[in-house]
Amino acid sequence: MKKILLALLVIGQIAYAQDQKTKDTTKTEELETVFITANRTATLRKATPVAISKITAKTINEAKATSAYEIINKAPGVLMVNLGNEQHMMSIRQPMTTNAYYLYLEDGLPIRPMGIFNHNALLEINQFNLQNIEVVKGPVSSLYGPEAVGGTINLISIHPPVTPEFKFGIQADQWGYKRFQAAGGATVGKIGFHIAGISSLQENGWMTYSDYKKDNLNIRVDYNINDKTRLISNTMWGKYNSDMSGSVNEDAFYNRTYKSTTDFTYRKSDALRTRLTLEHDWNDNASSYITVYHRDNKLGQNPSYGIKWNPVVKPTTASGEVNSNNFKSYGAIGQHAQKFDFLNTKIVGGALYDYSPVEYWAYLLEMKAYLNPGTPGKQTVEHYEITAERPDVKLSNYTADIFNKAVYAQLSFNPIEKLVVTAGARYDNLKVDYNNALDNSTGTKIYDKPTFKAGANYNLTQYTGVYGNYSQGFAPPGITSIFRAKPGTGGTTGKPAEFYYNLEPATFDNYEIGGWLSLLEGKLNFDYAVYYMAGKNELLSVRLPDNTTDYRSVGETRHKGIEFGGNYKLSNQLNIRFGGTVAEHTFINFKVSDNPADALQNLNGKEMPAAPRWSGNSEISYYPNWLPKLRTSLEWQSVGSYYQDQINTVKYAGYDIFNFRAGYEWKGIEIYGNIINLTDKLYAYNVSRGNTTTSQPTYTAAAPRTFLIGIQYNFSLKH
């Protein structure tokens, strides 16, 4: 660590020397990107004391991605884990996890209300409607509230163009995937609009039982009332229906026998989000906005991860579930930003109110397990069959009214030249009024907490700057966890159902230093961050022998690492982008059982599972002068080894894969092709197993080499 910090200091001194040498002879250029997410208003990099990355429209357009993970993984320090058919997990300053430690935003507004986190929320996103993506790493709870812990991803939609623009196209691969997409917009008088739609279809893929269909439509209308006031309407409609092929066993994985153990699991999502924003600029130093919004989401599934099977106790029987999680939201958020001449001070303050009624139920499926040959107790399942649906046996059944109230404020100022100090605070009050039909109880759960952050940027020269910050994170348990019957209770066990009413919110303290620099007249740009984050009451999913999940929110965890990313423009033909993270995620004082007979008592000192110490994504792009409008790129995605289980007995080796992309545009017609997994490497996105000696690993297999081709027509009156 000391050597790395010393090297960064030396580079900073080189940048300072370059500045002194050239400041009188070289024209000052804008070397920074403007960010919105880190401070809720447009802010330059040199005034942003956090680790933040921006994925530009150029990068998004050239990726021609079928799923969001192909784009988001280009941000340094981010590993978005593909679970198939646009389903996903995330790893930002956390292991690869489905926990509610990430906040997903559309134009600054959370996709889900607090308390109803879904790790698959980004499958609802329309990739053809993205202007850019901003990724903040580390807690920003003081601005955006609970769940903004590991990271925040803000998907910024395309604004209405000044002149008419239109594009449409199709793309397909050899595994039965195809997508039609179209978008267009214009500004006529005071009204601007932009409409984008996609329709994706997967049939008869490389993995059995892996079909899906997705349709999305986004509509934005801007009404410029006058030069100071704007009314903006955004509407998103999405429909998603997917098979859930799940994971495969070890033999099937290494033999490339990609056969699902089920032919009945599924996930369905219907989503509608609409918002209306009134913006007003009072003068050059003051602006305000108020947004009212509505969400309507229905998520139904027969999840593959919900299948419970014990190879020792009942090897030929299993159980599953059907569940439904439906909610609506009605809310408003208002904000005011004010600048003052004194110390170049800027204050941002706002308040939020959100009311979200939710209904959730889950019932039992009885199943038969057909086994592969093998040693008794260590066999694997060839396939499952539903023997009985039991809607009379509820595994969970509740309604709840969720009320979220919050106020926040942030202050930044320049006490001396080149120094920017930032401080922010937020208070959240999350109240859940519930009715649990399984134990006929009603009650109220309240999770409230103030969170703070403080940071400073010191910009030594126009070519380099450093920052430091302290920030707090806060994540209440998801209510689906609270009202899930504990293993061994409820259902057909004969024991009264017990619930997780005592789960506590997880809290985090994050300490971070980092910086940025620009060398070679802006051709080489580099960002870095070193962080240490301590978690308390972090929600842990303990995987039991039958694949049942037991929850714990006691104990402590430690997360520390180094993130870096950069871009080197060798010439106008050749560009190199690089980035990665070295991290360590550890259980500290984490007791998981009070029963002396249990083999697993405490996870103290163990590395967290699914936590690679290294991950990175880099790319070299070539734009030849001899053939303008041609682009090619070679991308390297790397994931290091990690433990499959919580007791650190078995590791997965990780993987390195390469992706190649090329495209050519002629008179508005763009033809492109992507080769994903160029070397046809056998690898898995995720590998996990239980903590017992009989536990068998399960592999979320990645696709073999995939050839994607597409054609797109781009029309614009812009000169």
Side-chain angles (χ1 to χ4, degrees):
M1 183 76 74
K2 291 181 179 178
K3 291 181 178 179
I4 292 173
L5 293 175
L6 181 61
L8 294 173
L9 181 61
V10 170
I11 293 173
Q13 292 299 319
I14 294 172
Y16 178 76
Q18 179 194 22
D19 179 46
Q20 296 301 303
K21 180 179 178 181
T22 62
K23 66 180 182 179
D24 295 326
T25 59
T26 303
K27 181 181 178 181
T28 300
E29 297 179 3
E30 179 58 69
L31 303 175
E32 302 180 78
T33 303
V34 174
F35 295 99
I36 297 173
T37 309
N39 296 304
R40 278 195 176 268
T41 57
T43 309
L44 296 176
R45 180 69 187 93
K46 64 184 179 183
T48 307
V50 297
I52 185 170
S53 300
K54 188 168 190 173
I55 303 172
T56 65
K58 183 176 185 293
T59 301
I60 295 170
N61 291 335
E62 292 184 355
K64 295 294 190 288
T66 60
S67 298
Y69 80 94
E70 297 178 49
I71 306 170
I72 291 174
N73 280 345
K74 296 177 185 292
V78 178
L79 179 60
M80 183 176 176
V81 184
N82 179 24
L83 298 180
N85 292 357
E86 305 194 47
Q87 301 162 107
H88 61 90
M89 294 194 295
M90 192 64 71
S91 174
I92 308 174
R93 299 195 179 179
Q94 289 280 322
M96 296 181 286
T97 181
T98 60
N99 284 348
Y101 293 153
Y102 306 106
L103 190 59
Y104 302 130
L105 309 171
E106 278 180 320
D107 297 312
L109 190 68
I111 292 175
R112 290 283 194 282
M114 302 304 169
I116 314 181
F117 175 82
N118 189 293
H119 66 91
N120 282 308
L122 294 183
L123 65 78
E124 300 170 2
I125 295 304
N126 180 353
Q127 298 96 316
F128 217 52
N129 190 53
L130 295 176
Q131 178 64 35
N132 52 68
I133 302 172
E134 294 183 357
V135 181
V136 182
K137 287 150 279 187
V140 286
S141 293
S142 62
L143 273 179
Y144 291 97
E147 298 171 359
V149 174
T152 298
I153 297 178
N154 191 7
L155 303 121
I156 299 172
S157 59
I158 297 175
H159 293 191
V162 176
T163 57
E165 294 182 4
F166 179 69
K167 59 181 180 179
F168 68 91
I170 56 173
Q171 57 180 207
D173 67 23
Q174 84 272 31
W175 303 119
Y177 171 84
K178 46 187 169 291
R179 184 171 84 194
F180 173 80
Q181 48 200 9
T187 297
V188 180
K190 293 186 175 184
I191 298 177
F193 69 92
H194 185 267
I195 303 173
I198 61 172
S199 182
S200 304
L201 180 66
Q202 170 71 62
E203 295 179 304
N204 303 317
W206 57 273
M207 179 85 174
T208 64
Y209 198 70
S210 61
D211 293 356
Y212 89 105
K213 190 176 191 309
K214 171 182 170 179
D215 297 297
N216 274 80
L217 181 66
N218 290 75
I219 302 173
R220 171 169 173 157
V221 179
D222 291 13
Y223 175 46
N224 297 295
I225 299 173
N226 53 48
D227 60 350
K228 292 183 178 293
T229 309
R230 298 162 298 281
L231 190 63
I232 302 169
S233 167
N234 271 293
T235 299
M236 172 273 175
W237 172 85
K239 194 174 184 66
Y240 174 91
N241 188 349
S242 176
D243 298 337
M244 287 185 68
S245 51
S247 53
V248 299
N249 63 50
E250 193 165 53
D251 288 340
F253 174 74
Y254 283 107
N255 292 326
R256 295 200 175 198
T257 307
Y258 300 124
K259 182 180 179 182
S260 175
T261 57
T262 69
D263 60 2
F264 50 79
T265 49
Y266 65 86
R267 173 175 282 122
K268 298 179 181 179
S269 172
D270 293 283
L272 174 68
R273 292 189 289 273
T274 184
R275 58 193 287 183
L276 185 65
T277 300
L278 180 64
E279 298 179 344
H280 182 70
D281 301 324
W282 302 98
N283 50 53
D284 291 341
N285 295 319
S287 62
S288 303
Y289 75 76
I290 183 168
T291 296
V292 294
Y293 60 87
H294 172 61
R295 309 183 188 100
D296 189 350
N297 192 283
K298 300 177 179 65
L299 179 64
Q301 54 184 1
N302 180 337
S304 56
Y305 65 78
I307 296 176
K308 312 298 188 294
W309 172 69
N310 193 316
V312 176
V313 180
K314 295 181 179 180
T316 60
T317 62
S319 65
E321 67 178 79
V322 173
N323 63 52
S324 179
N325 190 1
N326 307 321
F327 69 86
K328 295 184 179 182
S329 296
Y330 310 88
I333 179 172
Q335 178 176 296
H336 179 75
Q338 184 75 49
K339 296 179 182 178
F340 301 93
D341 293 335
F342 178 70
L343 299 181
N344 195 28
T345 300
K346 182 177 181 180
I347 299 176
V348 177
L352 173 141
Y353 178 84
D354 184 291
Y355 165 59
S356 296
V358 58
E359 176 187 57
Y360 183 95
W361 52 258
Y363 66 76
L364 178 70
L365 295 177
E366 295 178 354
M367 299 180 185
K368 182 176 181 179
Y370 294 85
L371 305 182
N372 291 306
T375 303
K378 293 187 177 181
Q379 291 171 287
T380 58
V381 175
E382 194 275 332
H383 74 278
Y384 294 101
E385 177 184 276
I386 296 176
T387 56
E389 290 203 34
R390 299 293 305 275
D392 58 310
V393 181
K394 291 289 193 298
L395 305 176
S396 186
N397 189 13
Y398 67 87
T399 58
D401 290 331
I402 301 175
F403 301 89
N404 181 28
K405 299 180 285 292
V407 292
Y408 62 89
Q410 180 166 283
L411 167 71
S412 64
F413 60 97
N414 296 100
I416 61 174
E417 187 181 3
K418 299 181 180 180
L419 178 66
V420 182
V421 176
T422 303
R426 177 177 173 124
Y427 172 73
D428 280 278
N429 182 290
L430 182 65
K431 185 176 77 167
V432 181
D433 292 336
Y434 67 87
N435 186 330
N436 188 350
L438 293 192
D439 64 358
N440 295 315
S441 67
T442 60
T444 298
K445 302 290 291 184
I446 295 178
Y447 306 97
D448 66 330
K449 186 176 177 61
T451 49
F452 303 93
K453 77 167 186 177
N457 294 76
Y458 183 70
N459 301 292
L460 182 65
T461 75
Q462 65 178 350
Y463 296 104
T464 185
V466 296
Y467 75 85
N469 82 47
Y470 164 74
S471 56
Q472 296 178 330
F474 165 54
I479 63 172
T480 54
S481 302
I482 297 172
F483 300 109
R484 169 69 57 163
K486 293 184 177 181
T489 70
T492 58
T493 65
K495 298 180 180 179
E498 298 178 10
F499 301 92
Y500 296 94
Y501 292 129
N502 294 324
L503 288 179
E504 296 291 332
T507 60
F508 297 84
D509 292 285
N510 182 74
Y511 307 88
E512 180 177 339
I513 59 173
W516 61 274
L517 57 91
S518 181
L519 300 172
L520 306 176
E521 297 182 349
K523 292 181 179 179
L524 174 61
N525 295 284
F526 184 68
D527 282 84
Y528 61 91
V530 182
Y531 70 90
Y532 178 96
M533 185 165 66
K536 293 183 179 180
N537 295 329
E538 188 166 344
L539 183 66
L540 173 68
S541 302
V542 180
R543 187 173 175 184
L544 303 181
D546 66 349
N547 200 38
T548 300
T549 297
D550 194 13
Y551 297 110
R552 301 281 193 276
S553 65
V554 293
E556 302 175 9
T557 59
R558 182 183 64 215
H559 312 267
K560 59 181 181 179
I562 301 169
E563 300 161 343
F564 65 90
N567 196 81
Y568 183 26
K569 188 174 183 179
L570 283 82
S571 68
N572 61 356
Q573 298 185 87
L574 201 60
N575 188 79
I576 297 175
R577 175 187 56 78
F578 55 92
T581 181
V582 179
E584 185 178 304
H585 307 283
T586 309
F587 293 116
I588 305 296
N589 189 28
F590 216 118
K591 192 172 184 179
V592 295
S593 175
D594 294 315
N595 185 354
D598 287 347
L600 182 62
Q601 295 286 323
N602 207 309
L603 295 174
N604 290 1
K606 302 289 188 184
E607 286 192 40
M608 301 180 77
R613 289 199 172 192
W614 155 259
S615 66
N617 184 288
S618 299
E619 189 171 21
I620 183 168
S621 302
Y622 179 51
Y623 307 88
N625 287 337
W626 52 268
L627 187 57
K629 301 290 187 178
L630 174 68
R631 58 171 176 82
T632 62
S633 70
L634 181 65
E635 179 184 40
W636 170 42
Q637 176 74 54
S638 178
V639 175
S641 63
Y642 56 85
Y643 285 107
Q644 302 174 18
D645 54 4
Q646 293 169 332
I647 55 175
N648 293 182
T649 58
V650 184
K651 276 190 170 183
Y652 176 59
Y655 58 86
D656 293 275
I657 63 162
F658 297 90
N659 304 317
F660 177 77
R661 297 179 174 90
Y664 179 68
E665 186 173 355
W666 178 76
K667 294 186 177 180
I669 300 174
E670 184 180 8
I671 301 173
Y672 60 89
N674 296 347
I675 306 176
I676 307 300
N677 190 6
L678 182 65
T679 63
D680 198 24
K681 184 179 180 66
L682 174 66
Y683 73 104
Y685 291 115
N686 187 48
V687 184
S688 65
R689 70 169 72 206
N691 295 319
T692 64
T693 56
T694 59
S695 297
Q696 298 296 306
T698 58
Y699 291 75
T700 303
R705 180 168 46 223
T706 300
F707 298 92
L708 178 82
I709 59 172
I711 185 170
Q712 183 172 305
Y713 176 67
N714 306 298
F715 169 80
S716 176
L717 290 181
K718 186 187 301 182
H719 296 291

